């Protein structure tokens, strides 16, 4: 079932005044916010700060993968570096990739079995590496995308799929081995999230769901007075909306 398949009842848990580069949410509805100063702040589902950590040495923090709430994975593409934290944001592992198997990745996410998916702009491929940094799988070259500059900006793996938001194109879906499956073609998508069998995406201030298997698309009913949304995250019982000055956390029932 998707959130958009029912009439929703929303309860606002919190509203925080803040600015952010991006937000993520784990399966427990903890929220991870990265601000312009490269500070990672972890909140609980009520908006209370749990922990924060500043990262000033590795360049811009491009992505935070929270698929495993016990291990938060950070991606710094400018230094070809991956940093793994525990649930308290304490560093467990610091991985400098060097030049192999990806000389300079531009997008990344955590994969199953402690591996990582990385986009290699030189080869125009998505590449999966294992914990020993050996190449495991790779996608076909993304030359089928009719753009001069092919630039995935956000990756999410939810077995058995890998999802790639490609700037000015849409969301492409691959299987867990990197084989291309399909695309939601829409250059106006701002961001997306995955819940169960549905892709949720933000477009023109509205959130839509698209079923991965049936491709049925529906619009999500939003809480009253939701406007100028820049980003959202969705979990089993929370909808988190961010605009330019605030973060709002809602519980919902179906």
């Amino acid at each position: 079932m998707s959130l958009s398949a029912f009439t929703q009842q929303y309860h606002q848990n919190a509203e925080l005044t803040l600015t952010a580069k991006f937000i993520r949410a784990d399966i427990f509805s903890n929220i991870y916010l990265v601000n312009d100063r490269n500070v990672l702040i972890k909140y609980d589902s009520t908006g209370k700060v749990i922990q924060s950590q500043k990262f000033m040495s590795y360049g811009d923090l491009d992505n935070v993968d929270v698929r495993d709430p016990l291990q938060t994975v950070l991606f710094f593409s400018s230094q070809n570096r991956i940093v793994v934290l525990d649930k308290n944001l304490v560093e467990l592992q610091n991985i400098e990739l060097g030049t192999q198997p990806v000389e300079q990745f531009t997008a990344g996410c955590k994969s199953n079995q402690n591996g990582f998916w990385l986009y290699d702009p030189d080869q125009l491929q998505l590449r999966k590496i294992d914990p020993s940094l050996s190449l495991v799988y790779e996608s076909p070259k993304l030359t089928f995308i009719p753009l001069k500059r092919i630039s995935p900006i956000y990756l999410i793996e939810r077995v058995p799929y890998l999802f790639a938001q490609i700037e000015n194109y849409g969301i492409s879906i691959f299987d867990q081995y990197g084989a291309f499956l399909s695309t939601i073609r829409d250059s106006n998508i701002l961001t997306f999230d995955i819940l169960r069998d549905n892709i949720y995406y933000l477009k023109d201030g509205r959130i839509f769901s698209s079923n991965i298997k049936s491709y049925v698309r529906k619009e999500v009913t939003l809480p009253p007075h939701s406007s100028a949304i820049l980003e959202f995250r969705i979990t089993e019982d929370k909808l988190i909306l961010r605009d330019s000055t605030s973060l709002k956390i809602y519980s919902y029932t179906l």
Side-chain angles (χ1 to χ4, degrees):
M1 297 292 186
S2 74
L3 177 62
S4 53
F6 303 89
T7 299
Q8 297 85 37
Q9 295 182 351
Y10 290 103
H11 171 74
Q12 185 171 319
N13 300 97
E15 180 174 353
L16 308 177
T17 301
L18 50 76
T19 59
K21 285 171 58 179
F22 61 83
I23 58 172
R24 305 289 184 252
D26 66 25
I27 59 172
F28 299 124
S29 299
N30 296 312
I31 301 162
Y32 303 74
L33 178 148
V34 174
N35 65 23
D36 290 332
R37 299 184 303 278
N38 251 25
V39 178
L40 172 62
I41 308 170
K42 182 178 179 179
Y43 300 86
D44 68 14
S45 61
T46 69
K48 180 182 177 181
V49 174
I50 299 174
Q51 188 59 267
S52 66
Q53 195 68 260
K54 185 181 291 187
F55 297 90
M56 301 300 293
S57 308
Y58 306 139
D60 287 339
L61 178 48
D62 302 306
N63 190 19
V64 176
D65 194 305
V66 297
R67 61 175 290 172
D68 179 354
L70 300 179
Q71 283 197 351
T72 301
V73 183
L74 315 183
F75 294 85
F76 300 88
S77 64
S78 64
Q79 291 201 9
N80 229 30
R81 187 182 300 271
I82 301 169
V83 177
V84 182
L85 311 177
D86 69 11
K87 65 178 183 178
N88 298 313
L89 307 186
V90 175
E91 187 175 304
L92 296 175
Q93 193 175 11
N94 194 316
I95 305 166
E96 188 173 2
L97 293 178
T99 60
Q100 296 296 330
V102 178
E103 184 169 352
Q104 183 71 61
F105 74 85
T106 56
C109 71
K110 183 176 171 61
S111 183
N112 62 338
Q113 299 177 334
N114 295 315
F116 308 100
W117 279 102
L118 304 170
Y119 178 65
D120 184 338
D122 292 330
Q123 298 301 319
L124 301 178
Q125 289 178 304
L126 294 160
R127 294 186 160 189
K128 180 177 177 178
I129 59 175
D130 64 17
S132 67
L133 309 185
S134 298
L135 181 64
V136 181
Y137 303 119
E138 57 188 12
S139 74
K141 289 183 181 291
L142 304 189
T143 49
F144 60 85
I145 296 173
L147 296 175
K148 290 183 178 179
R149 180 175 180 269
I150 301 170
S151 179
I153 55 176
Y154 184 37
L155 305 179
I156 301 178
E157 183 192 77
R158 295 293 183 269
V159 174
Y161 302 107
L162 172 67
F163 304 88
Q165 181 183 353
I166 298 172
E167 190 174 21
N168 299 319
Y169 184 71
I171 302 167
S172 291
I173 307 170
F174 303 81
D175 70 15
Q176 60 189 321
Y177 308 108
F180 173 74
L181 298 175
S182 63
T183 291
I184 298 175
R185 181 79 181 270
D186 195 322
S187 61
N188 294 317
I189 292 174
L190 280 183
T191 189
F192 76 101
D193 207 355
I194 309 296
L195 181 63
R196 302 182 191 176
D197 289 331
N198 292 283
I199 304 171
Y200 291 85
Y201 58 91
L202 176 64
K203 173 189 173 182
D204 300 329
R206 300 152 68 191
I207 297 175
F208 298 89
S209 71
S210 179
N211 187 274
I212 297 167
K213 298 175 181 177
S214 69
Y215 303 103
V216 172
R217 189 184 89 153
K218 299 180 180 180
E219 185 171 356
V220 173
T221 302
L222 295 176
H225 313 298
S226 299
S227 61
I229 302 169
L230 296 177
E231 192 176 16
F232 77 98
R233 294 295 153 213
I234 187 168
T235 68
E236 292 287 351
D237 64 347
K238 296 289 187 298
L239 177 65
I240 303 142
L241 303 178
R242 179 179 73 85
D243 60 27
S244 61
T245 60
S246 68
L247 183 78
K248 296 177 182 178
I249 307 169
Y250 296 91
S251 296
Y252 67 84
T253 54
L254 301 178

